[in-house]
Amino acid sequence: MTRVAAIDCGTNSIRLLIADIERGNGTTALHDLVREMRVVRLGQGVDATGELAPEALERTFAATADYARLIRDHGATKVRFVATSASRDARNRHVFVDGIRNLLGVEPEVISGDEEAALSFAGASSVLPILDGQEVLVVDLGGGSTEFVLGTASGVTAGKSVNIGCVRLTERHLRDDPPTAQQIAAGEADVDAAITRVRQDVPLERATAVVGVAGSITTITAHALGLAEYSPDAIHGAELPLDTVRAASTGLLEMPRSRRAALPYMHPGRVDVIGAGGLVWRRILEHMGELTGGRITTATASEHDILDGIALSIG
């Protein structure tokens, strides 16, 4: 076995996975030792200013220092740090890169949207195997961007990353609590335009199934299931009718933040942005139902995503 550490630094959260990778007989398995998530909101204000805010960098560096200690304590021999949307967009990303290098001792990788999409697909498909004849669309709904990846049992067919994340759309449109009809309509227009761009590269109409990953989608799934607490075991692999998921998304979108905060499965760092997550996921599923002529009737949630893909890419 090889002990690895993977860090996924997104627009809203930074996550750590320390795991043992076991390979043999043509298969690869991850055995988790540590999974941690901190909401640091690295992308705070990036959409408006084009720069990473000093206080956002400070929060991210503090979390990275804690992760570095965990990595040392568990004896991981290989480490990969991947940064995504907010870091791609920021003019001062060199400050971020230098800070992470000093704290962790490895070069942080600010990856492209295409690589982010491929890693998301690898992570999701590693634990939700794709059957022969299936063409699965994996949707990774993040804070700054959303990745659409179509693939088969053989791997990725096509992918595209677009800037319609939950933090980005909250800051851009959903400023009231709860958001107004006009703000929701403006957010939906952004999603529609993004999907038009996606369709230039990804034949969404060919999908036979849809799998959603990342915190917005898993939280929406927890809401749809009416969980008494956040339970990864209950959420992972949950396949729900599109109408059920859309209703849960709408409920969170239209709910005041005070009510969201009281939900037993709601992470405090998602309270202000989960409405935009619901807006994006609802609109994507509406498009998928239409584009496939009603063939897509359910959506599946996965607790395994780009973080698992990063870990698998190391070993």
Side-chain angles (χ1 to χ4, degrees), residues 24-301:
N25 299 321
T27 63
T28 303
L30 281 177
H31 301 285
D32 292 10
L33 299 172
V34 175
R35 276 187 190 263
E36 287 219 1
M37 187 268 285
R38 310 274 180 88
V39 173
V40 294
R41 196 64 57 84
L42 177 62
Q44 171 192 330
V46 167
D47 191 59
T49 68
E51 292 195 346
L52 299 168
E55 59 270 30
L57 286 166
E58 185 176 342
R59 292 191 297 266
T60 304
F61 292 156
T64 302
D66 289 343
Y67 287 176
R69 285 191 289 272
L70 284 168
I71 291 168
R72 288 194 299 269
D73 290 347
H74 285 81
T77 58
K78 296 184 179 181
V79 181
R80 187 179 184 191
F81 185 110
V82 165
T84 54
S85 178
S87 308
R88 283 197 296 267
D89 297 343
R91 287 189 298 269
N92 63 339
R93 71 179 185 181
H94 64 280
V95 178
F96 167 76
V97 169
D98 291 345
I100 297 299
R101 186 193 302 115
N102 290 337
L103 287 165
L104 205 58
V106 300
E107 190 72 17
E109 302 171 52
V110 182
I111 62 172
S112 69
D114 288 346
E115 186 170 2
E116 184 177 0
L119 288 170
S120 296
F121 186 86
S125 61
S126 69
V127 289
L128 291 175
I130 299 172
L131 302 177
D132 289 341
Q134 278 191 317
E135 200 156 8
V136 175
L137 178 70
V138 173
V139 178
D140 184 345
L141 202 173
S145 65
T146 295
E147 284 65 54
F148 294 74
V149 201
L150 192 67
T152 66
S154 300
V156 173
T157 303
K160 181 76 170 178
S161 177
V162 286
N163 287 340
I164 53 167
C166 61
V167 174
R168 193 182 299 270
L169 288 194
T170 298
E171 292 183 349
R172 188 181 293 175
H173 298 300
L174 307 186
R175 300 186 182 93
D176 287 349
D177 178 25
T180 66
Q182 291 81 4
Q183 290 169 351
I184 292 171
E188 288 181 334
D190 274 8
V191 178
D192 291 347
I195 290 175
T196 297
R197 294 194 298 276
V198 169
R199 293 187 66 198
Q200 295 172 5
D201 298 296
V202 183
L204 299 177
E205 66 280 358
R206 288 191 351 212
T208 59
V210 176
V211 175
V213 303
S216 284
I217 289 173
T218 58
T219 301
I220 292 165
T221 303
H223 187 58
L225 292 170
L227 298 182
E229 61 181 2
Y230 191 92
S231 170
D233 289 341
I235 293 166
H236 181 65
E239 183 178 1
L240 299 174
L242 294 189
D243 286 346
T244 300
V245 182
R246 287 197 298 258
S249 299
T250 299
L252 290 169
L253 171 61
E254 297 178 350
M255 189 182 295
R257 291 176 184 173
S258 58
R259 283 188 56 204
R260 294 178 194 164
L263 296 171
Y265 38 79
M266 184 66 62
H267 190 286
R270 296 202 188 282
V271 170
D272 61 331
V273 296
I274 191 61
L279 183 153
V280 174
W281 191 218
R282 179 181 74 179
R283 198 67 178 145
I284 289 171
L285 294 180
E286 287 170 351
H287 277 276
M288 290 307 300
E290 294 168 3
L291 290 171
T292 61
R295 183 175 64 250
I296 298 290
T297 60
T298 63
T300 301

